[in-house]
Amino acid sequence: MKSPFLLENQEEYLEWRNFKLSQYPVCQENFIVKFNNNIIDKGNINLLKKLIKKYNFAIYEFESKLTDYDLHNFCSKLDLNKSISNLFSDSENISNITNKSEPKNKITNSEYIPYTEKRLNWHTDGYYYPTESSIKSFLLHCVQPAKKGGENILLDHEIMYIYLRDHNPDYINILMQKNIMKIPKNKNLKDSNAISGPVFYIDENNFLNMRFTSREQNIIWQKNDTIKKIKDFMFSFINEDTKYTFKLLLQENQGYLANNILHKRESYIDGKKKRLLKRIRFSNRIGKRNANIE
Ligand SMILES: [Fe+2]
């Protein structure tokens, strides 16, 4: 089948687009797939896959605490076996996302926003990686929610693609250019290189992927004026829309799995116990577009 994501395939695009949009609005109450800790039910795994096939993400809930081993085992049921490490992940490639910032009176240059109580703006994970080693999916699991705040807000990047293409196909043309977004090399890291890449690209399995960050520092955009216009247009949609965006406040033992969609996090305040989320990233995505899941 011709890719609906290429501008020249308008007929295929319209067919795909209309089907995609017909899945909205979503009833959020039916969106949490519940699992028993001892038996990971195959029917429920298929239900998760079915939701992810439609929306590129889904929420799950377990009855009680999971160990790191349980988390990896759960992921393996979704064929997520190729986890990716990063500077802050542990030996199991799990990132323990919690507030690690220094007390306010201490000035530190090493503060890294995910590991603070601050708001994290819209992005896809690993936008600073080249497309050959991109992050295709991730799991975010809540061990301990914050006392207040810390909501995750999600938007399927395929919906963003539709919104942009319907408004102006030239925006897609620009965002698919291979050098549109450049991340300069990190002077603090040995062997670091500058990375250039597109915002949207079609991978070897014909899936649409997105590399994006709304941060302003350490990003060099080509066609900066046009990009500003596109970003303003994107944010007008993201910030106002409620039909396609999801706001989640993950509870203990809940999490979500996503094919690296657009997401952000609100700021939060810790209680006695610090908010703790576990994240595992993967180099493959969840599900195949044509998988025969009933
Ligand atoms: Fe993220």
Side-chain angles (χ1 to χ4, degrees):
M1 187 195 157
K2 287 185 190 168
S3 170
F5 307 122
L6 290 172
L7 289 179
E8 67 247 36
N9 301 329
Q10 184 65 5
E11 208 177 300
E12 287 76 10
Y13 167 68
L14 287 176
E15 195 185 321
W16 168 80
R17 171 202 181 275
N18 294 342
F19 179 74
K20 180 95 191 172
L21 296 185
S22 71
Q23 307 299 322
Y24 289 85
V26 173
C27 175
Q28 292 210 23
E29 284 101 80
N30 299 336
F31 218 75
I32 303 181
V33 183
K34 297 190 176 174
F35 286 92
N36 178 310
N37 278 57
N38 300 318
I39 314 150
I40 297 183
D41 182 72
K42 214 178 165 191
N44 281 351
I45 287 287
N46 280 342
L47 190 57
L48 260 186
K49 284 185 179 171
K50 200 172 165 185
L51 286 168
I52 295 168
K53 189 178 169 191
K54 282 185 191 166
Y55 303 105
N56 277 321
F57 82 95
I59 309 158
Y60 66 83
E61 180 181 309
F62 279 86
E63 289 172 323
S64 56
K65 285 196 182 307
L66 297 184
T67 63
D68 289 354
Y69 174 83
D70 294 335
L71 275 179
H72 271 296
N73 182 45
F74 175 50
C75 290
S76 73
K77 308 277 183 202
L78 292 145
D79 304 315
L80 296 175
N81 299 308
K82 297 175 196 160
S83 59
I84 301 177
S85 66
N86 66 72
L87 275 178
F88 303 98
S89 58
D90 65 17
S91 58
E92 301 298 320
N93 291 349
I94 295 178
S95 301
N96 290 281
I97 301 171
T98 192
N99 181 15
K100 292 179 182 170
S101 62
E102 301 286 335
K104 280 188 183 120
N105 55 355
K106 236 180 169 180
I107 297 164
T108 169
N109 291 325
S110 59
E111 188 177 73
Y112 183 52
I113 303 294
Y115 295 89
T116 67
E117 294 177 317
K118 290 178 186 167
R119 178 173 184 256
L120 247 177
N121 215 338
W122 288 101
H123 65 281
T124 56
D125 272 20
Y127 60 85
Y128 36 79
Y129 290 148
T131 54
E132 312 82 74
S133 44
S134 60
I135 288 159
K136 293 282 175 63
S137 63
F138 63 82
L139 165 140
L140 195 68
H141 180 81
C142 179
V143 177
Q144 176 66 48
K147 187 169 106 187
K148 196 173 172 214
E151 295 90 347
N152 292 106
I153 304 171
L154 318 177
L155 173 68
D156 184 345
H157 59 290
E158 291 181 352
I159 294 289
M160 180 53 81
Y161 175 93
I162 291 171
Y163 182 67
L164 291 165
R165 180 162 170 173
D166 286 358
H167 178 73
N168 185 352
D170 204 37
Y171 283 180
I172 299 298
N173 211 6
I174 290 166
L175 296 174
M176 282 191 155
Q177 288 175 12
K178 288 196 171 89
N179 61 349
I180 198 70
M181 185 171 100
K182 183 175 168 184
I183 319 294
K185 76 173 191 179
N186 185 338
K187 288 175 200 138
N188 299 323
L189 287 181
K190 212 181 137 216
D191 302 328
S192 164
N193 290 313
I195 304 288
S196 275
V199 170
F200 286 116
Y201 68 98
I202 304 164
D203 68 17
E204 61 286 1
N205 296 315
N206 224 6
F207 288 109
L208 182 76
N209 296 277
M210 188 176 190
R211 298 166 70 248
F212 182 76
T213 175
S214 45
R215 66 181 292 182
E216 302 287 340
Q217 307 85 23
N218 288 324
I219 305 288
I220 301 164
W221 290 98
Q222 307 300 317
K223 300 185 194 296
N224 207 12
D225 291 348
T226 320
I227 287 291
K228 191 180 173 314
K229 236 165 109 182
I230 297 175
K231 274 166 80 176
D232 287 348
F233 184 71
M234 286 167 76
F235 289 129
S236 69
F237 175 60
I238 289 179
N239 294 330
E240 284 161 28
D241 177 75
T242 49
K243 187 175 171 188
Y244 299 105
T245 51
F246 283 72
K247 197 171 194 171
L248 313 173
L249 186 57
L250 290 175
Q251 304 299 317
E252 196 180 335
N253 308 319
Q254 284 184 345
Y256 77 91
L257 285 143
N259 282 329
N260 207 358
I261 55 173
L262 279 164
H263 57 285
K264 71 180 252 191
R265 178 191 79 198
E266 299 294 12
S267 61
Y268 65 91
I269 300 167
D270 271 333
K272 272 186 192 151
K273 286 186 181 170
K274 280 185 169 187
R275 179 184 190 265
L276 173 62
L277 271 77
K278 290 190 176 256
R279 186 192 60 207
I280 318 178
R281 290 161 158 178
F282 298 92
S283 61
N284 61 318
R285 60 181 276 142
I286 309 151
K288 300 175 183 79
R289 190 173 297 284
N290 296 319
N292 187 19
I293 302 161
E294 292 306 319

